[in-house]
Every structure is written in C-alpha cells, then in structure tokens.
Amino acid sequence: TTDESTRSYLETVATRSPGLAQLAGAALPVLDRVTGAESELRELSEEADEAEWLAAVDDLRTRLLSGGRSGS
C-alpha cells in the first residue's frame, strides 16, 4: 500500500506535473503488488536467484518517488 509520505509526495508533484503524479500514483501500487509476498513474479525471481530484478524494481520505485531524478 501507498504510505503517508508517498501520498504527500504525490500531492506535491500533482501541483507541478499532474501527468507525472498520475502515472507515479498508478505505478507504485503495481510495484508493491509485483514485489509483495503473494507475488508469483517475485517468487520466480527468488527461485532464479535474480536479486538484480528486485534491485531494479526498487530503483524504479525510488525514481518514481523522487520525481524521476536519478540517484546517481
């Protein structure tokens, strides 16, 4: 689920770039779903020992929360 800080961030972004906030708002719950405990995709990733996949999803989540700015 989207937490309080995420909602606050999305409200801030919405005033500056409504389209970006709408996309981020839609993407974040999907990322939560595909990385959640009940996710078959996550299970397959773990079985294949693909830690890079989870790291890439976490990086995407971070970029969405930072308004698309790269951390590097």
Side-chain angles (χ1 to χ4, degrees), residues 34-67:
V34 300
T35 58
E38 299 295 318
S39 170
E40 184 177 356
L41 187 55
R42 181 184 182 120
E43 183 179 324
L44 292 170
S45 171
E46 289 171 350
E47 288 174 3
D49 197 24
E50 291 290 332
E52 290 177 28
W53 175 78
L54 189 55
V57 173
D58 287 341
D59 178 60
L60 176 57
R61 180 182 287 112
T62 299
R63 287 185 286 130
L64 286 169
L65 290 170
S66 69

